[in-house]
């Protein structure tokens, strides 16, 4: 069975695999005919039997992901057949109903977004699911890829997963930046729930920001964990982490405990601060604070205290170590996002309506100015 591909070929999946080439500065727009012809030569799809072949949105995402590992696993996984189907609707052999629609949204300053939505229901409505993926660009240098999956059951289970990576230029400085974000959330039918967020931003001049945020609820137990790293690209960095948990006990009271620390270093000097704490169900509370001051000449002051009467304040001679350079910098961020540079850009000054959807910006049938504005186009 040979099925034609949808317009503009299927959206490119988020792929952090190591490319063998470096993106050329001059981005070229591949014609629709060339893309369709190349795709048709290799698009031979087997008959679909179940929702498992169509999409992974029918089931909750997995927990405790790491960005690079998740990206590598996605790159190695076989492409889901749902992304290769033409727009339309149908019923699979297992009773799954599905429908697929692609829209092109055009806006001002050359904005173009091609988004495809695939949704469906398993037999007798046991699971309702939806998946979408998109690519976007504009004349200011925006390149964006994204994917979104969600699902739910009649008994209260639900889940949502989204990925996005984009490259863009700062509106004021024109500095190129690359940003990736991810979010996973799921709730079981018994009320247990969890969520994980992750993000990172890389700037061409060296600034890097990273963060992660996780929490989960299981019965009467809830825990949280957050961390972040910020590098200014000039030899200074800040790192922090914050973890805490709580538990409901008899009578409606709760027990809580946690620990957190922050460190800031640059040019051989820096400070560290930390805290360990707990709060009992009877109202009793304990806190213990600690601090370090690194002067950069071998001297380190250490001091702290606690609610139990502890106190210390000493100066020691010791080495100061910190790493002001992120292990994953801007060059690697560029090389790990090869598909961003392949997203086509509308030719300058094009006019017309959006195909498959309403035009955004000044309304349907609106035209864009010939001025390319700021960003990548202005630099060419």
């Amino acid at each position: 069975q040979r099925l034609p591909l949808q317009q503009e070929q299927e959206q490119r999946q988020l792929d952090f695999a190591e490319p063998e080439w470096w993106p050329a500065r001059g981005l070229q727009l591949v014609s629709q005919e060339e893309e369709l012809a190349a795709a048709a030569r290799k698009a031979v799809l087997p008959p679909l039997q179940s929702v498992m072949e169509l999409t992974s949105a029918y089931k909750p995402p997995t927990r405790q992901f790491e960005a690079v590992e998740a990206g590598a696993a996605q790159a190695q996984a076989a492409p889901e057949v749902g992304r290769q189907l033409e727009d339309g609707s149908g019923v699979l052999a297992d009773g799954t109903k599905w429908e697929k629609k692609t829209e092109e949204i055009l806006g001002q300053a050359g904005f173009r977004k091609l988004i495809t939505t695939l949704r469906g229901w398993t037999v007798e409505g046991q699971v309702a699911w939806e998946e979408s993926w998109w690519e976007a660009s504009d004349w200011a240098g925006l390149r964006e890829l994204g994917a979104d999956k969600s699902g739910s059951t009649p008994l209260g289970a639900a889940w949502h997963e989204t990925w996005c990576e984009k490259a863009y230029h700062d509106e004021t400085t024109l500095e190129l930046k690359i940003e990736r974000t991810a979010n996973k959330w799921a709730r079981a039918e018994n009320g247990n729930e969890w969520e994980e967020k992750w993000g990172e931003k890389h700037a061409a001049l060296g600034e890097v920001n990273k963060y992660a945020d996780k929490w989960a609820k299981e019965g009467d137990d809830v825990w949280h964990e957050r961390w972040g790293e910020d590098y200014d690209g000039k030899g200074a960095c800040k790192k922090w982490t914050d973890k805490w948990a709580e538990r409901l006990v008899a009578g409606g009271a709760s027990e809580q405990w946690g620990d957190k620390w922050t460190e800031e270093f640059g040019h051989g000097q820096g400070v560290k601060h930390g805290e360990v704490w707990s709060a009992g169900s009877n109202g009793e509370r304990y806190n213990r604070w600690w601090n370090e001051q690194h002067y950069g000449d071998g001297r380190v002051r250490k001091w702290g205290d606690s609610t139990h009467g502890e106190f210390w304040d000493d100066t020691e001679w010791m080495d100061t170590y910190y790493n002001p350079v992120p292990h994953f910098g801007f060059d690697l961020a560029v090389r790990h996002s090869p598909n961003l540079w392949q997203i086509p850009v509308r030719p300058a000054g094009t006019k017309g309506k959006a195909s498959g959807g309403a035009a955004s910006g000044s309304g349907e049938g609106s035209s864009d100015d010939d001025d390319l504005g700021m960003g990548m186009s202005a630099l060419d």
Side-chain angles (χ1 to χ4, degrees):
Q1 180 182 7
R2 181 181 295 271
L3 297 178
L5 293 181
Q6 64 186 38
Q7 272 194 332
E8 297 284 343
Q9 197 180 15
E10 71 271 20
Q11 306 298 308
R12 300 167 181 84
Q13 299 185 55
L14 289 130
D15 182 1
F16 301 147
E18 186 79 6
E20 296 180 355
W21 52 271
W22 192 266
R25 189 172 184 278
L27 301 177
Q28 298 182 349
L29 180 66
V30 180
S31 71
Q32 176 181 338
E33 290 77 15
E34 290 174 338
E35 287 190 342
L36 290 176
R41 285 192 291 268
K42 56 183 179 181
V44 179
L45 305 182
L48 295 176
Q49 300 296 321
S50 73
V51 66
M52 292 186 291
E53 300 174 64
L54 193 65
T55 178
S56 62
Y58 74 94
K59 61 181 180 179
T62 56
R63 291 177 60 175
Q64 298 180 352
F65 72 97
E66 293 293 339
V68 176
E69 294 178 0
Q74 186 176 15
Q76 295 172 4
E80 295 159 359
V81 178
R83 297 201 172 206
Q84 304 177 48
L85 293 176
E86 62 181 350
D87 285 2
S89 61
V91 180
L92 304 184
D94 67 351
T96 296
K97 298 179 181 179
W98 63 271
E99 58 185 40
K100 184 178 181 181
K101 182 180 180 181
T102 301
E103 295 182 279
E104 183 183 46
I105 302 172
L106 304 181
Q108 295 182 350
F111 179 80
R112 172 186 179 272
K113 183 175 184 179
L114 191 66
I115 180 169
T116 300
T117 301
L118 175 66
R119 61 170 60 93
W121 306 263
T122 58
V123 62
E124 299 179 355
Q126 295 173 345
V127 177
W129 51 268
E130 182 173 311
E131 177 181 5
S132 62
W133 56 95
W134 65 88
E135 65 180 31
S137 63
D138 67 15
W139 294 336
L142 171 70
R143 303 289 189 279
E144 180 178 313
L145 289 171
D148 189 282
K149 298 179 181 182
S150 61
S152 62
T153 71
L155 297 180
W159 53 90
H160 180 238
E161 177 181 6
T162 184
W163 277 83
C164 183
E165 63 172 344
K166 61 182 178 180
Y168 59 95
H169 287 264
D170 185 276
E171 294 182 356
T172 302
T173 66
L174 300 185
E175 182 182 11
L176 179 62
K177 298 182 177 182
I178 297 176
E179 184 174 346
R180 299 193 188 97
T181 57
N183 186 193
K184 292 186 176 185
W185 169 83
R187 182 184 64 234
E189 294 177 353
N190 62 6
N192 290 345
E193 189 175 355
W194 62 269
E195 184 175 20
E196 297 179 351
K197 299 178 182 179
W198 163 83
E200 64 180 28
K201 182 187 296 184
H202 301 265
L205 296 182
E207 184 176 349
V208 176
N209 309 102
K210 300 181 179 182
Y211 71 88
D213 188 345
K214 302 180 181 182
W215 68 272
K217 175 182 178 294
E218 184 173 347
D220 293 331
D221 296 331
V222 181
W223 63 266
H224 309 257
E225 180 179 358
R226 298 174 179 173
W227 64 262
E229 298 180 0
D230 299 300
Y231 303 84
D232 68 356
K234 302 175 182 178
C237 61
K238 177 179 180 180
K239 300 179 181 181
W240 60 272
T241 184
D242 190 1
K243 297 181 290 184
W244 71 100
E246 55 187 321
R247 174 187 299 124
L248 295 178
V249 297
S254 65
E255 298 175 337
Q256 300 176 323
W257 59 96
D259 68 84
K260 57 184 177 181
W261 59 263
T262 301
E263 66 175 39
E264 295 185 57
F265 282 91
H267 312 292
Q269 302 177 344
V271 294
K272 294 183 179 182
H273 305 287
E275 178 184 4
V276 178
W277 62 273
S278 64
S281 58
N282 58 359
E284 180 183 0
R285 187 173 183 91
Y286 169 74
N287 294 79
R288 187 176 189 268
W289 300 275
W290 59 268
N291 310 272
E292 292 184 8
Q293 176 78 52
H294 294 249
Y295 295 103
D297 58 2
R299 292 179 300 133
V300 177
R301 180 193 175 198
K302 297 182 178 181
W303 76 100
D305 62 331
S306 76
T307 54
H308 283 188
E310 296 174 282
F311 178 83
W312 65 97
D313 192 341
D314 302 300
T315 299
E316 302 177 4
W317 291 91
M318 59 181 295
D319 293 332
T320 295
Y321 174 79
Y322 64 96
N323 185 4
V325 180
H327 72 280
F328 194 93
F330 181 77
D331 290 346
L332 282 177
V334 171
R335 296 171 63 189
H336 276 229
S337 299
N339 288 333
L340 283 178
W341 320 114
Q342 302 176 25
I343 298 176
V345 180
R346 290 170 57 194
T350 54
K351 303 178 181 180
K353 301 179 181 179
S355 59
S360 61
S362 57
E364 185 175 349
S366 63
S367 62
D368 294 301
D369 296 332
D370 290 344
D371 182 12
L372 299 185
M374 306 296 289
M376 183 177 294
S377 300
L379 298 176
D380 288 338

